[in-house]
Amino acid sequence: QITLKESGPTLVKPTQTLTLTCTFSGFSVGAHKEGLGWLRQHPGKAPEWLAIIYWDDDKHYNPSLRNRLTIAKDTSKNHVVFTMTNMDPVDTATYYCAHRRRVRFDHWGPGTLVTVSS
Amino acid sequence: NFMLTQPPSVSGSPGETVTISCTRSSGNIAGFYVHWYQQRPGSAPITVIYEDNLRPSEVPDRFSGSFDTSSNSAFLTISGLKTEDEADYYCQSYDTTSPVVFGGGTKLTVL
């Protein structure tokens, strides 16, 4: 059974860097063809994908945010860490990590609301 | 880049059948899988249909997926509507340059 959970700050100041950790079980991000993604969702809007990392360390970033994003995996700890630099109030959203199976996200964490405010 | 367009809202009464469309702006709808997610308020999305028409085992068979190449659209059909089906529904697909594209979402109201 795959489970995921996001952790990190719920409040960050403008210009700060957001660091979120996804802790998961039921799969290994080092195993062949496994992947994990980060997404966010503004209230009343569709999810927006941010970054995906695969078992072979292949990484994909949303082109519109690419220069602000980093994703990295720690296979030994079953963690994936996501960072977004230069946070702005418009980045206030619920952030999700999700298991990537082929071309979809089949299991999602519960999400964590991140507020950007001074 | 392509877009997926969904109607903002649909509604139906308990027991009825509703269909939600997802129209692809460019690229062949049949060439790239479409997935459908259900999201209830305050919860994360869950998959109700994947790879066009496959249903996770935990999803009732009242949910089905299809596509039509003439309209370049995918469809989520929910039959025998229940109040618990009231939620937002999102389609998602991809292409060779965009690994993830979501539709704008459809709010289903069960009257």
Side-chain angles (χ1 to χ4, degrees), chain B residues 3-8 21-25 36 73-74 91 102-106:
Chain B
M3 294 173 52
L4 297 171
T5 301
Q6 300 180 234
S21 62
C22 172
T23 301
R24 185 173 176 128
S25 61
W36 292 91
S73 299
C91 60
F102 283 95
T106 299

Side-chain angles (χ1 to χ4, degrees), chain B residues 1 5 7 27 33 40 53 59 67 70 72 75 79 83-84 89 98 104 107 111:
Chain B
N1 286 357
T5 301
Y33 288 131
R40 295 191 175 103
N53 56 16
V59 173
F67 64 84
S70 64
N72 217 36
F75 303 95
S79 59
T83 55
E84 67 206 46
Y89 291 84
S98 304
K107 182 177 180 59
L111 303 169

Side-chain angles (χ1 to χ4, degrees), chain A residues 103, chain B residues 2 24 31-35 92-96 98-101:
Chain A
V103 289
Chain B
F2 69 97
R24 185 173 176 128
F32 304 92
Y33 288 131
V34 175
H35 317 292
Q92 180 248 305
S93 191
Y94 60 97
D95 68 9
T96 54
S98 304
V100 185
V101 175

Side-chain angles (χ1 to χ4, degrees), chain A residues 94-105:
Chain A
T94 298
Y95 287 75
Y96 295 98
C97 64
H99 178 249
R100 181 77 167 164
R101 185 179 300 275
R102 295 183 65 174
V103 289
R104 66 183 175 111
F105 298 104

